[in-house]
Amino acid sequence: MSRALRRLLRLVIAIPLLLLLVLFALTPGNRAAVPLGLWPTDIVWVAPLSIIVLAAAALFFFLGALVVWLASLGQRLRARRAERRVRTLEAQLAGSSKKEVLF
């Protein structure tokens, strides 16, 4: 897939989603102030419902991304070790082939 096509596809997906987010945030029913209490503390934050929902969605999106990143950490470490081993073996093979050419 070409770079221009990927960029166009990304825009075709992103623009409607961003439009939906803006419409959700601007809908009159979602702009009502809602108190958000953090139990067991007495902290109360009053914010529009749309901001609370979007902030919670963003928070859990990043938490999910962190979980996926941590889950793939072991695979990435094994891949790095394997790449290092391949480079070492290729260097050894290149070194041994140079010695054979000299004879």
Side-chain angles (χ1 to χ4, degrees), residues 41-60:
T41 65
D42 292 331
I43 299 172
V44 176
W45 181 41
V46 178
L49 178 63
S50 59
I51 298 298
I52 291 174
V53 170
L54 292 175
L59 173 71
F60 286 108

Side-chain angles (χ1 to χ4, degrees), residues 14-69:
I15 289 175
L17 288 176
L18 290 174
L19 183 62
L20 284 174
L21 286 174
V22 168
L23 288 175
F24 175 76
L26 296 179
T27 302
N30 295 333
R31 288 190 297 180
V34 176
L36 177 66
L38 300 175
W39 181 84
T41 65
D42 292 331
I43 299 172
V44 176
W45 181 41
V46 178
L49 178 63
S50 59
I51 298 298
I52 291 174
V53 170
L54 292 175
L59 173 71
F60 286 108
F61 173 81
F62 286 115
L63 285 175
L66 178 65
V67 167
V68 169
W69 183 75

Side-chain angles (χ1 to χ4, degrees), residues 1 3-4 8 14-17 22 32 37-38 46 48 52 58 63 68 70 73-74 78 87-88 91 93 95 97-98:
M1 188 182 304
R3 187 174 186 163
L8 179 65
I15 289 175
L17 288 176
V22 168
L38 300 175
V46 178
I52 291 174
L63 285 175
V68 169
L70 289 173
L73 190 59
R78 280 194 305 273
R87 274 189 249 118
T88 303
L93 184 62
S97 66
K98 285 181 183 177

